Amino acid sequence: MSPPLLPGNRNITEEEVRRILNLLPGSRRASNGVIVDNGDGTSYHITGFITSDPEMADVENLHLAYATKHEIIRLRELRTAHDYLLRVRLEAIAASPRAVRTFRKRRAQFEERGRRWTLTDYYNAQNIDAKRYVSRLSRPLQRIVKSIPYGLAPINEVNAVARRTMLGDVVMVAENLRYFFYFMNIAMYGPYSEIRTDDCIDAAIIALRIMRGSESFDFDLDPRATLPAQIEREIQSKTGRQMEFTFGHEFAHLLEGHLVDRLGSDDLRVYSHECEFAADCRAVLAADSDHETKRTLARGAFDVLLYLHFLEASARAGLLRSYSDGATHPLPLERIGRLKAALNKRYLPPPGEIEASEDAIDTMVESVTKRVDTSGRPDLLSFYGSLYLPTFTDRMKTDRIEF
């Protein structure tokens, strides 16, 4: 039998699976639970059972699969910025059946390690990149950053944001942004690890699909590739430094005093662009005085900006519907130029490396365009589901039946 998640909210047992399969013709065993066909092309996926808590509304009871009763009740009346971030996370999960399935698995793994589950504790444990960056700051800056809630969130917008709310300031980074960086790293650094060109192009396509919202949020359930251990460590290391810069950039908006309402200003474009330039620079220079740390953060910064250039070039090539709002964000290549000019040469990559990377990005856009045009699938970038790296995936699996 599967262990219960919480009293009143538990996984389906093997005995119950067998009873449903016997009672309902056309029902099928799933990886977790049972799929019951309705006969009209739709179906139910039964994964567990909920006993309603009389103290909670029906919709609140449904949230018990991925949040605790205490957390759910907290959201009846938001009091702090921490409550705001919790609500954003919870509502994003509730809006996506795949996210619910993902968090059921995450919860099971979390509890298997002997830890008591709360959604907040789970995300605190995932805050490795952000905490590493914060540890590099001076103590006075650490106190400022630690005074606000920050971390990942499973939101649809693949973005990072420092936001001023009525309850206080919050820094959020979309979980899918990390996956975007991960697959872009395979695409652009893969050749140095002898990853085949076709796999690199497919990784770039997956990255584009993540940005378009068509790549399903179920990487925990269905990894798109299993890389050799050494290559995986290298890719994750690069992804970590890019996430450090991303959090550092958003913290810089807080530290630089950018979180003010300037939407009514005629100088919005100039103000916003200068804020972005300043945040890029502060994210690198606010770190401790160790030169290697600043060099690592700078490399992460240039990677991020190059990948944003990939998105901007992809939008111009018709691979994305849109890229970003030019009223608030300057073009990535402008940001690269400003950051290069602002940093000491000791923190910069070797001469010519960034320019070569820009050319490699443009070549990758051309390769992706050719792959899309010759794939025989007009919906290659837009269909909702999963793509895989063929060299590192033994076969495609059937959703819900095998994972």
Side-chain angles (χ1 to χ4, degrees):
M1 286 189 176
S2 301
L5 293 176
L6 274 179
N9 182 10
R10 62 176 179 81
N11 285 330
I12 192 171
T13 66
E14 176 61 25
E15 179 183 354
E16 289 163 338
V17 168
R18 292 175 181 173
R19 287 175 58 193
I20 293 173
L21 292 173
N22 289 331
L23 288 172
L24 300 177
S27 57
R28 296 170 289 155
R29 181 182 291 273
S31 174
N32 176 29
V34 181
I35 295 175
V36 180
D37 293 323
N38 293 326
D40 60 358
T42 64
S43 60
Y44 291 108
H45 183 192
I46 303 174
T47 60
F49 298 95
I50 294 174
T51 302
S52 295
D53 185 323
E55 297 180 358
M56 300 173 67
D58 289 343
V59 67
E60 290 178 325
N61 277 291
L62 292 175
H63 294 324
L64 285 170
Y66 39 84
T68 65
K69 179 177 179 178
H70 174 71
E71 288 177 313
I72 296 165
I73 290 176
R74 266 176 58 192
L75 300 188
R76 291 177 178 174
E77 185 177 356
L78 303 185
R79 298 178 181 274
T80 69
H82 290 274
D83 293 340
Y84 175 87
L85 179 56
L86 175 61
R87 186 181 71 175
V88 169
R89 288 167 169 166
L90 187 144
E91 290 182 347
I93 298 169
S96 168
R98 288 186 189 249
V100 172
R101 291 166 57 201
T102 293
F103 273 87
R104 281 187 174 275
K105 179 173 182 177
R106 290 178 174 181
R107 179 172 187 162
Q109 292 174 333
F110 195 84
E111 293 181 328
E112 284 171 4
R113 294 192 291 269
R115 304 188 64 177
R116 181 179 176 275
W117 171 271
T118 73
L119 189 60
T120 301
D121 285 347
Y122 169 78
Y123 272 110
N124 285 342
Q126 302 305 306
N127 249 358
I128 298 171
D129 301 319
K131 290 177 180 177
R132 185 184 299 115
Y133 181 84
V134 173
S135 73
R136 303 186 192 282
L137 300 175
S138 65
R139 290 188 181 277
L141 295 185
Q142 284 188 30
R143 284 194 290 270
I144 296 173
V145 171
K146 289 180 178 180
S147 70
I148 69 165
Y150 60 83
L152 299 169
I155 53 180
N156 287 331
E157 284 189 38
V158 189
N159 200 359
V161 60
R163 178 174 296 166
R164 173 150 293 172
T165 77
M166 294 180 63
L167 298 170
D169 297 335
V170 178
V171 167
M172 293 184 293
V173 177
E175 283 195 58
N176 269 346
L177 187 59
R178 195 179 209 286
Y179 290 115
F180 168 74
F181 291 154
Y182 174 83
F183 284 102
M184 284 303 301
N185 285 329
I186 295 175
M188 303 312 301
Y189 285 103
Y192 301 102
S193 299
E194 299 184 352
I195 294 179
R196 294 173 61 247
T197 300
D198 284 350
D199 289 305
C200 294
I201 295 172
D202 287 345
I205 291 174
I206 293 173
L208 273 178
R209 286 172 48 80
I210 289 171
M211 296 304 298
R212 291 175 63 107
S214 53
E215 190 72 14
S216 59
F217 180 77
D218 56 5
F219 297 96
D220 299 59
L221 305 173
D222 183 29
R224 306 320 194 254
T226 303
L227 302 179
Q230 180 59 34
I231 297 176
E232 178 70 17
R233 284 193 293 271
E234 292 171 359
I235 295 297
Q236 290 290 359
S237 176
K238 290 175 172 58
T239 304
R241 74 189 185 194
Q242 292 150 13
M243 289 295 290
E244 275 200 64
F245 168 74
T246 299
F247 274 105
H249 176 94
E250 299 307 326
F251 292 145
H253 283 308
L254 171 73
L255 297 173
E256 292 282 335
H258 296 163
L259 304 188
V260 294
D261 182 9
R262 297 293 184 99
L263 293 180
S265 171
D266 292 336
D267 298 322
L268 173 62
R269 177 184 293 272
V270 174
Y271 172 78
S272 299
H273 285 200
E274 289 304 317
C275 286
E276 294 304 314
F277 294 138
D280 288 340
C281 187
R282 182 72 180 270
V284 176
L285 296 181
D288 59 36
S289 58
D290 177 71
H291 295 320
E292 185 57 36
T293 295
K294 286 187 171 66
R295 190 178 298 112
T296 297
L297 285 171
R299 181 67 259 187
F302 288 122
D303 283 343
V304 169
L305 298 177
L306 284 165
Y307 295 167
L308 296 182
H309 172 58
F310 170 78
L311 294 178
E312 191 268 333
S314 295
R316 284 190 278 108
L319 300 173
L320 281 175
R321 289 183 294 275
S322 62
Y323 163 59
S324 67
D325 183 1
T328 58
H329 285 72
L331 292 175
L333 293 185
E334 292 181 50
R335 294 171 67 180
I336 289 174
R338 287 286 291 265
L339 186 58
K340 285 173 61 178
L343 296 181
N344 189 300
K345 290 183 179 180
R346 73 179 69 182
Y347 306 139
L348 299 178
E353 184 173 303
I354 293 177
E355 291 76 13
S357 296
E358 292 172 7
D359 292 340
I361 288 287
D362 292 336
T363 298
M364 179 59 74
V365 173
E366 294 173 2
S367 298
V368 169
T369 301
K370 182 177 179 180
R371 173 66 60 84
V372 171
D373 290 343
T374 60
S375 67
R377 289 206 61 167
D379 64 344
L380 182 63
L381 291 173
S382 60
F383 80 86
Y384 185 73
S386 306
L387 284 184
Y388 302 85
L389 304 188
T391 301
F392 303 101
T393 305
D394 56 355
R395 62 184 177 84
M396 294 179 62
K397 296 180 181 179
T398 305
D399 182 25
R400 299 181 187 264
I401 301 299
E402 297 182 274
F403 67 86

